[in-house]
Each structure stands twice: as C-alpha cells, then as structure tokens.
C-alpha cells in the first residue's frame, strides 16, 4: 500500500509546459517571468507590491533588513512556528523575543506580546499557523511595525494586506509551489524598493549601495509559480474539503478554525495526548503525519529554554498534522480516518 505523506505538491502538464518554455527561452533568470509572477501575486492578494525571492526564509530576512533590524534590537516572535521565523531576526544581529500562543488557535497571543515589549522592541512577527492569520488588528495597536509570516496562509481572505510586510513561501508543501521560493508583499513602496535592492547584492544600476544578497528568484521558478497561482483557489478549496471531512471525525480535538474563509487550511492539526504513539501507529499503516512544531524555545539552537511558553510547549507535545493536500483522493482521506480510528 502506498504511503500517504502529510503534504505534497500538485504538478500538472500546464506547470511542466510553463517551465519547459522558459528552458527554451533566452532568460533562465531575471527575465520577464519574475515581474509577471509578482504582478500575479499582487492581483490575487490585493497587495500593491510583491518582491519574489529565493525562499520564504529569504523573504523573512529581507523583511527584517528593510525594517533596519540590527544588533540591540528586539523582535517578538511566537514560539509555535518554524525556526526560520526567529532565525531571520538573528541573521540581522537582532534578538528574537519568543512569546506564547493562544491555547485554542496556537496563534501569537497579543497579551503576551504586550507584556514582552520594551524600548528595544522594533517589530513583531505574527505567524499564520496552519493557514489562519494571526490577530493583526491587535498587534498593530502596539505601536511597532508588524510582519506577517504568511508562509502557511496564501489563499486565506485578506492575506497580503493585513500586516506592514507579508512573507510567503513557495516550498512544495505550501499553498502553491515554485520548487523553492518566496515573496515579500507590502503596500509601502520604499520597503518594496529596499527588498528589491537587497535581493540583488544591494545594487542600484551597476553599483552596490549597501551589503546585499543573492536572493533572486529565477525565471524557471517564477514560470512554475505563475502556472500554479492560477490554481490557488482550487487548491485551497480542496484543502478545505479535506479539512471538513476530518472535522466530522476529529471534532474538538482539532486546533480551532475561527472562520473557514479566513483560513488557507495549509495544515489540519489535531491534538492527542499519546501523540508519539499515534504517530508511530499511523506510520505502520502507511500514513505519515507531521509534527508542527517543536516550539522555537525548545530547539537546541535556542538553548532549550523550558517553561518559557507553557501553551506552546503543551501543544508541542500534542500536535499532529494529518495528511492534507489537493492531490488526496476521497479514498486517501477515508484511509487516514480509519487508520486514525485504529491508532487512537
Ligand atoms: C515554510 C516556512 C518558512 C520558510 O520557508 P522556506 O521557503 O522553506 O524558506 C518560514 N516560516 C514558516 C511558518 C514556514 O512554514
């Protein structure tokens, strides 16, 4: 029996043809496809500017640099996220201040953010955990720039315009893929210009004005993104359908979804006491469920600081992401549900 992964990409003949056309063209990188993809990102999100880059991590790094984060600056990040969110702060020499999440949604807790603020706080990064946007209304009231780590949430209503800067990832498990890739979205033309410069060695014309990077996206990747973005709506609709079916079985053991429209359903996360046991019994039945995440404060690279974020740490022991991706068939979903029934 074929193993079902927790997620995977959906690639069709149009995607393949789009990439092949670039391979036959004059430009493999920095050609016409990158700006076309950026325009498509603006069109689907309503953001005024999009800067396509080489990964979601690069997008987060550029967002931090465009806000001028440096040594001595603090940036508040939630514990329940992929480690790249906090790493982006450290790349600039800043200090990530890790705060707890709300127990029901696992989104950053604005009250914890308020308590963690000091005169060194220069920004807050909200993470749209599982595809559900953080409470940006509340975060924006705290008086510093707000960045959305929207690597999970492209396709949810409002994403792209909820924060000052929005970072996307196009890794194969995300809403749409370019293989590797990412983007910064913003309505601020200065921030967009700064990100454009920094992704290309800090160059304006032939001269390097500041220390920049090679975070460019290639035309090969952008062509795949352009083809994928046409299917964003149907991809999100499939994920919603699968999530609704899981919901009938999992009920209140699932992480709370407040509003189906405002959720891209990147992950379907349940909470289980004996998480490790259930995960291994599912694996025996050919179902690969994932753990998102071991909280950032418990990572070795963050010095294993236990008891800093109790809600995130409890979730870290209990969360399990069931397979949820557009290419799943109804019978795949049936298989996951019956394997889960046997494993609990
Ligand atoms: C995937 C992801 C990233 C990093 O994106 P890459 O494209 O893999 O660099 C950052 N934050 C979150 C929450 C993610 O899920």
């Amino acid at each position: 029996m074929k193993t079902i992964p927790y997620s995977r990409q959906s690639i069709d003949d149009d995607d393949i043809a789009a990439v092949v056309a670039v391979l036959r063209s004059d430009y493999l990188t920095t050609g016409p496809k990158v700006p076309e993809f950026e325009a498509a990102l603006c069109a689907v999100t309503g953001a005024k500017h999009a800067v396509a880059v080489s990964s979601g991590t690069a997008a987060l790094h550029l967002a931090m640099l465009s806000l001028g984060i440096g040594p001595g600056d603090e940036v508040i990040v939630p514990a329940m996220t992929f480690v790249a969110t906090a790493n982006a702060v450290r790349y600039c020499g800043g200090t990530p201040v890790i705060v707890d999440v709300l127990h029901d949604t696992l989104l950053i807790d604005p009250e914890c953010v308020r308590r963690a603020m000091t005169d060194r706080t220069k920004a807050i990064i909200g993470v749209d955990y599982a595809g559900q946007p953080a409470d940006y209304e509340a975060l924006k009231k705290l008086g510093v720039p707000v960045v959305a780590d929207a690597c999970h949430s492209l396709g949810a209503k409002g994403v792209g315009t909820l924060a000052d800067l929005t970072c996307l990832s196009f890794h194969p498990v995300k809403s749409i893929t370019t293989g590797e890739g990412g983007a910064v979205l913003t309505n601020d033309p200065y921030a967009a210009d700064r990100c454009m410069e920094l992704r290309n060695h800090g160059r304006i014309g032939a001269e390097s004005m500041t220390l920049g990077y090679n975070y460019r996206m290639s035309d090969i990747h952008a062509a795949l993104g352009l083809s994928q973005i046409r299917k964003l709506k149907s991809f999100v609709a499939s994920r919603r359908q699968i999530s609704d079916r899981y919901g009938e079985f999992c009920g209140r053991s699932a992480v709370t979804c407040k509003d189906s429209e405002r959720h891209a359903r990147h992950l379907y996360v349940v909470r289980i006491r004996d998480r490790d046991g259930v995960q291994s019994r599912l694996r025996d039945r050919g179902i690969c469920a994932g753990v998102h995440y071991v909280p950032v404060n418990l990572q070795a690279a963050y010095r294993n600081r236990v008891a800093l974020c109790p809600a995130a740490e409890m979730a870290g022991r209990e969360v399990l992401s069931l397979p949820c991706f557009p290419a799943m068939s109804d019978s795949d979903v049936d298989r996951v549900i019956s394997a889960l029934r046997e494993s609990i």
Side-chain angles (χ1 to χ4, degrees):
M1 213 171 358
K2 231 181 115 204
T3 297
I4 303 177
Y6 91 84
S7 189
R8 66 160 285 148
Q9 70 276 10
S10 295
I11 299 291
D12 65 14
D13 289 343
D14 292 338
D15 295 328
I16 293 167
V19 171
V20 169
V22 172
L23 290 173
R24 293 189 196 285
S25 78
D26 291 338
Y27 295 102
L28 298 189
T29 194
T30 319
K33 292 297 165 190
V34 169
E36 275 181 50
F37 181 46
E38 289 169 339
L41 284 167
C42 290
V44 301
T45 61
K48 291 208 177 88
H49 308 277
V51 182
V53 293
S54 53
S55 71
T57 305
L60 286 161
H61 187 188
L62 292 187
M64 292 295 102
L65 290 169
S66 75
L67 293 174
I69 302 303
D73 296 336
E74 295 177 353
V75 177
I76 299 175
V77 302
M80 196 41 110
T81 186
F82 185 54
V83 73
T85 314
N87 286 352
V89 181
R90 288 172 67 185
Y91 296 156
C92 309
T95 306
V97 174
I98 301 164
V99 300
D100 211 353
V101 293
L102 295 160
H103 180 77
D104 59 344
T105 56
L106 304 185
L107 297 172
I108 193 167
D109 182 341
E111 184 48 32
C112 292
V113 176
R114 198 186 57 75
R115 284 200 298 265
M117 292 198 54
T118 71
D119 54 7
R120 291 183 299 276
T121 306
K122 293 289 148 57
I124 303 163
I125 310 181
V127 173
D128 300 348
Y129 179 82
Q132 179 159 249
D135 185 353
Y136 294 105
E137 284 302 308
L139 298 177
K140 283 206 263 190
K141 288 187 185 135
L142 298 172
V144 295
V146 176
V147 175
D149 178 338
C151 290
H152 292 185
S153 61
L154 177 62
K157 196 173 169 190
V159 168
T161 53
L162 302 174
D164 298 305
L165 295 152
T166 297
C167 299
L168 304 176
S169 166
F170 310 119
H171 177 280
V173 300
K174 309 290 166 91
S175 297
I176 60 167
T177 190
T178 60
E180 295 276 5
V184 182
L185 308 178
T186 184
N187 284 346
D188 175 351
Y190 300 102
D193 279 351
R194 182 114 179 99
C195 291
M196 292 242 181
E197 259 166 65
L198 289 168
R199 80 170 164 187
N200 188 28
H201 308 286
R203 270 158 66 110
I204 299 179
E207 194 183 351
S208 268
M209 305 301 288
T210 46
L211 178 68
Y213 299 83
N214 179 354
Y215 281 165
R216 295 187 306 264
M217 177 178 275
S218 79
D219 261 35
I220 302 170
H221 294 81
L224 180 53
L226 260 173
S227 176
Q228 286 262 306
I229 207 167
R230 294 188 192 110
K231 291 165 277 202
L232 174 63
K233 269 207 170 126
S234 74
F235 286 164
V236 173
S238 309
R239 288 179 189 270
R240 283 198 182 123
Q241 227 166 39
I242 295 162
S243 300
D244 289 345
R245 289 215 41 217
Y246 286 147
E248 291 163 21
F249 177 70
C250 298
R252 291 197 307 124
S253 63
V255 169
T256 305
C257 163
K258 298 255 182 192
D259 173 352
S260 179
E261 283 289 304
R262 291 171 198 276
H263 200 311
R265 290 302 198 177
H266 167 61
L267 299 172
Y268 190 87
V269 184
V270 288
R271 299 183 63 150
I272 305 169
R273 261 294 149 67
D274 175 27
R275 191 268 317 277
D276 293 345
V278 170
Q279 186 182 24
S280 105
R281 290 191 285 280
L282 284 173
R283 202 177 300 121
D284 295 341
R285 289 167 175 76
I287 313 291
C288 276
V291 172
H292 301 92
Y293 294 95
V294 173
V296 176
N297 55 298
L298 300 187
Q299 305 279 347
Y302 286 79
R303 293 184 291 141
N304 305 302
R305 286 185 294 161
V306 182
L308 195 69
C309 301
E313 289 169 37
M314 184 194 265
R317 292 187 289 274
E318 297 181 346
V319 288
L320 193 63
S321 307
L322 302 181
C324 183
F325 54 93
M328 277 181 92
S329 65
D330 286 344
S331 68
D332 289 337
V333 180
D334 291 336
R335 236 184 90 193
V336 175
I337 292 172
S338 62
L340 191 61
R341 190 176 280 128
E342 289 163 20
S343 301
I344 282 175

